[in-house]
PDB file of all heavy atoms in Angstrom:
ATOM      1  N   ALA A  38       2.987  15.940   0.156  1.00 96.00           N
ATOM      2  CA  ALA A  38       2.550  15.126  -0.989  1.00 96.00           C
ATOM      3  C   ALA A  38       1.164  14.526  -0.734  1.00 96.00           C
ATOM      4  O   ALA A  38       0.808  14.178   0.388  1.00 96.00           O
ATOM      5  CB  ALA A  38       3.556  14.011  -1.236  1.00 96.00           C
ATOM      6  N   GLY A  57      -3.608  -3.188 -18.762  1.00 98.00           N
ATOM      7  CA  GLY A  57      -3.233  -1.778 -18.679  1.00 98.00           C
ATOM      8  C   GLY A  57      -1.749  -1.609 -18.993  1.00 98.00           C
ATOM      9  O   GLY A  57      -0.975  -2.560 -18.880  1.00 98.00           O
ATOM     10  N   TRP A 158      19.199 -24.745   1.568  1.00 98.00           N
ATOM     11  CA  TRP A 158      19.382 -25.703   2.659  1.00 98.00           C
ATOM     12  C   TRP A 158      19.633 -27.069   2.021  1.00 98.00           C
ATOM     13  O   TRP A 158      18.751 -27.617   1.342  1.00 98.00           O
ATOM     14  CB  TRP A 158      18.109 -25.732   3.526  1.00 98.00           C
ATOM     15  CG  TRP A 158      18.252 -26.562   4.762  1.00 98.00           C
ATOM     16  CD1 TRP A 158      18.100 -27.916   4.858  1.00 98.00           C
ATOM     17  CD2 TRP A 158      18.564 -26.103   6.080  1.00 98.00           C
ATOM     18  NE1 TRP A 158      18.304 -28.335   6.144  1.00 98.00           N
ATOM     19  CE2 TRP A 158      18.587 -27.231   6.920  1.00 98.00           C
ATOM     20  CE3 TRP A 158      18.832 -24.854   6.634  1.00 98.00           C
ATOM     21  CZ2 TRP A 158      18.864 -27.144   8.288  1.00 98.00           C
ATOM     22  CZ3 TRP A 158      19.090 -24.773   7.991  1.00 98.00           C
ATOM     23  CH2 TRP A 158      19.103 -25.907   8.799  1.00 98.00           C
ATOM     24  N   ALA A 160      19.745 -30.799   1.212  1.00 97.00           N
ATOM     25  CA  ALA A 160      18.734 -31.773   1.636  1.00 97.00           C
ATOM     26  C   ALA A 160      19.314 -32.916   2.465  1.00 97.00           C
ATOM     27  O   ALA A 160      18.578 -33.565   3.216  1.00 97.00           O
ATOM     28  CB  ALA A 160      18.002 -32.325   0.425  1.00 97.00           C
ATOM     29  N   TYR A 169       6.649 -20.692   7.496  1.00 97.00           N
ATOM     30  CA  TYR A 169       5.345 -20.463   6.888  1.00 97.00           C
ATOM     31  C   TYR A 169       5.500 -19.616   5.633  1.00 97.00           C
ATOM     32  O   TYR A 169       6.238 -18.640   5.611  1.00 97.00           O
ATOM     33  CB  TYR A 169       4.463 -19.738   7.914  1.00 97.00           C
ATOM     34  CG  TYR A 169       3.207 -19.138   7.356  1.00 97.00           C
ATOM     35  CD1 TYR A 169       2.179 -19.954   6.896  1.00 97.00           C
ATOM     36  CD2 TYR A 169       3.043 -17.751   7.289  1.00 97.00           C
ATOM     37  CE1 TYR A 169       1.026 -19.400   6.370  1.00 97.00           C
ATOM     38  CE2 TYR A 169       1.889 -17.193   6.772  1.00 97.00           C
ATOM     39  CZ  TYR A 169       0.885 -18.024   6.310  1.00 97.00           C
ATOM     40  OH  TYR A 169      -0.241 -17.469   5.794  1.00 97.00           O
ATOM     41  N   TYR A 181      11.729 -27.825  -2.381  1.00 98.00           N
ATOM     42  CA  TYR A 181      12.818 -28.723  -2.772  1.00 98.00           C
ATOM     43  C   TYR A 181      13.150 -28.531  -4.253  1.00 98.00           C
ATOM     44  O   TYR A 181      12.249 -28.426  -5.096  1.00 98.00           O
ATOM     45  CB  TYR A 181      12.414 -30.182  -2.511  1.00 98.00           C
ATOM     46  CG  TYR A 181      13.484 -31.147  -2.945  1.00 98.00           C
ATOM     47  CD1 TYR A 181      14.668 -31.267  -2.209  1.00 98.00           C
ATOM     48  CD2 TYR A 181      13.321 -31.930  -4.090  1.00 98.00           C
ATOM     49  CE1 TYR A 181      15.678 -32.144  -2.622  1.00 98.00           C
ATOM     50  CE2 TYR A 181      14.313 -32.805  -4.491  1.00 98.00           C
ATOM     51  CZ  TYR A 181      15.494 -32.899  -3.759  1.00 98.00           C
ATOM     52  OH  TYR A 181      16.488 -33.755  -4.154  1.00 98.00           O
ATOM     53  N   LEU A 228       9.592   0.378  -0.646  1.00 91.00           N
ATOM     54  CA  LEU A 228      10.322  -0.872  -0.429  1.00 91.00           C
ATOM     55  C   LEU A 228       9.337  -1.976  -0.046  1.00 91.00           C
ATOM     56  O   LEU A 228       8.813  -1.991   1.059  1.00 91.00           O
ATOM     57  CB  LEU A 228      11.355  -0.696   0.680  1.00 91.00           C
ATOM     58  CG  LEU A 228      12.402   0.402   0.495  1.00 91.00           C
ATOM     59  CD1 LEU A 228      13.445   0.322   1.587  1.00 91.00           C
ATOM     60  CD2 LEU A 228      13.054   0.331  -0.870  1.00 91.00           C
ATOM     61  N   LYS A 245       5.444 -23.586  18.335  1.00 95.00           N
ATOM     62  CA  LYS A 245       4.341 -24.188  17.581  1.00 95.00           C
ATOM     63  C   LYS A 245       3.246 -23.140  17.332  1.00 95.00           C
ATOM     64  O   LYS A 245       2.928 -22.356  18.231  1.00 95.00           O
ATOM     65  CB  LYS A 245       3.760 -25.338  18.420  1.00 95.00           C
ATOM     66  CG  LYS A 245       3.326 -26.504  17.613  1.00 95.00           C
ATOM     67  CD  LYS A 245       3.048 -27.703  18.519  1.00 95.00           C
ATOM     68  CE  LYS A 245       2.474 -28.846  17.718  1.00 95.00           C
ATOM     69  NZ  LYS A 245       1.188 -28.687  17.144  1.00 95.00           N
ATOM     70  N   ALA A 306       6.634   6.852   8.405  1.00 67.00           N
ATOM     71  CA  ALA A 306       5.999   5.568   8.693  1.00 67.00           C
ATOM     72  C   ALA A 306       4.503   5.695   8.488  1.00 67.00           C
ATOM     73  O   ALA A 306       3.976   6.791   8.561  1.00 67.00           O
ATOM     74  CB  ALA A 306       6.260   5.172  10.133  1.00 67.00           C
ATOM     75  N   SER A 348      -5.375  -0.059  -0.691  1.00 95.00           N
ATOM     76  CA  SER A 348      -4.270  -0.277  -1.627  1.00 95.00           C
ATOM     77  C   SER A 348      -4.669  -1.437  -2.528  1.00 95.00           C
ATOM     78  O   SER A 348      -5.805  -1.930  -2.438  1.00 95.00           O
ATOM     79  CB  SER A 348      -2.977  -0.619  -0.873  1.00 95.00           C
ATOM     80  OG  SER A 348      -3.013  -1.965  -0.449  1.00 95.00           O
ATOM     81  N   ASP A 425     -18.036 -22.844   1.160  1.00 98.00           N
ATOM     82  CA  ASP A 425     -19.000 -21.730   1.011  1.00 98.00           C
ATOM     83  C   ASP A 425     -18.537 -20.561   1.869  1.00 98.00           C
ATOM     84  O   ASP A 425     -18.571 -19.401   1.461  1.00 98.00           O
ATOM     85  CB  ASP A 425     -20.399 -22.155   1.455  1.00 98.00           C
ATOM     86  CG  ASP A 425     -20.987 -23.136   0.458  1.00 98.00           C
ATOM     87  OD1 ASP A 425     -20.477 -23.159  -0.682  1.00 98.00           O
ATOM     88  OD2 ASP A 425     -21.923 -23.873   0.822  1.00 98.00           O
ATOM     89  N   ASN A 438     -10.668  -7.610  -5.533  1.00 98.00           N
ATOM     90  CA  ASN A 438     -11.734  -6.604  -5.405  1.00 98.00           C
ATOM     91  C   ASN A 438     -11.271  -5.211  -5.789  1.00 98.00           C
ATOM     92  O   ASN A 438     -12.052  -4.406  -6.279  1.00 98.00           O
ATOM     93  CB  ASN A 438     -12.251  -6.578  -3.967  1.00 98.00           C
ATOM     94  CG  ASN A 438     -13.211  -7.714  -3.707  1.00 98.00           C
ATOM     95  OD1 ASN A 438     -14.191  -7.873  -4.429  1.00 98.00           O
ATOM     96  ND2 ASN A 438     -12.931  -8.519  -2.691  1.00 98.00           N
ATOM     97  N   PHE A 443     -10.149   0.105 -14.046  1.00 99.00           N
ATOM     98  CA  PHE A 443     -10.591   1.460 -13.704  1.00 99.00           C
ATOM     99  C   PHE A 443     -11.806   1.782 -14.569  1.00 99.00           C
ATOM    100  O   PHE A 443     -11.812   1.540 -15.772  1.00 99.00           O
ATOM    101  CB  PHE A 443      -9.458   2.453 -13.979  1.00 99.00           C
ATOM    102  CG  PHE A 443      -9.714   3.813 -13.405  1.00 99.00           C
ATOM    103  CD1 PHE A 443      -9.239   4.162 -12.152  1.00 99.00           C
ATOM    104  CD2 PHE A 443     -10.444   4.757 -14.130  1.00 99.00           C
ATOM    105  CE1 PHE A 443      -9.483   5.426 -11.629  1.00 99.00           C
ATOM    106  CE2 PHE A 443     -10.697   6.013 -13.608  1.00 99.00           C
ATOM    107  CZ  PHE A 443     -10.219   6.358 -12.352  1.00 99.00           C
ATOM    108  N   ASN A 559     -30.605  21.484  11.609  1.00 91.00           N
ATOM    109  CA  ASN A 559     -30.662  22.699  12.436  1.00 91.00           C
ATOM    110  C   ASN A 559     -30.091  22.511  13.838  1.00 91.00           C
ATOM    111  O   ASN A 559     -29.467  23.395  14.394  1.00 91.00           O
ATOM    112  CB  ASN A 559     -32.116  23.182  12.572  1.00 91.00           C
ATOM    113  CG  ASN A 559     -32.557  23.797  11.257  1.00 91.00           C
ATOM    114  OD1 ASN A 559     -31.711  24.233  10.467  1.00 91.00           O
ATOM    115  ND2 ASN A 559     -33.860  23.801  11.011  1.00 91.00           N
ATOM    116  N   GLU A 567     -22.280  11.810   7.328  1.00 98.00           N
ATOM    117  CA  GLU A 567     -22.024  13.228   7.042  1.00 98.00           C
ATOM    118  C   GLU A 567     -20.571  13.591   7.388  1.00 98.00           C
ATOM    119  O   GLU A 567     -19.990  13.098   8.368  1.00 98.00           O
ATOM    120  CB  GLU A 567     -22.980  14.111   7.849  1.00 98.00           C
ATOM    121  CG  GLU A 567     -22.790  15.591   7.523  1.00 98.00           C
ATOM    122  CD  GLU A 567     -23.980  16.465   7.906  1.00 98.00           C
ATOM    123  OE1 GLU A 567     -24.877  15.983   8.627  1.00 98.00           O
ATOM    124  OE2 GLU A 567     -23.994  17.640   7.487  1.00 98.00           O
TER     125      GLU A 567
END
Side-chain angles (χ1 to χ4, degrees):
W158 187 277
Y169 166 68
Y181 178 73
L228 303 187
K245 217 168 174 293
S348 78
D425 289 341
N438 281 306
F443 192 94
N559 287 337
E567 183 160 12

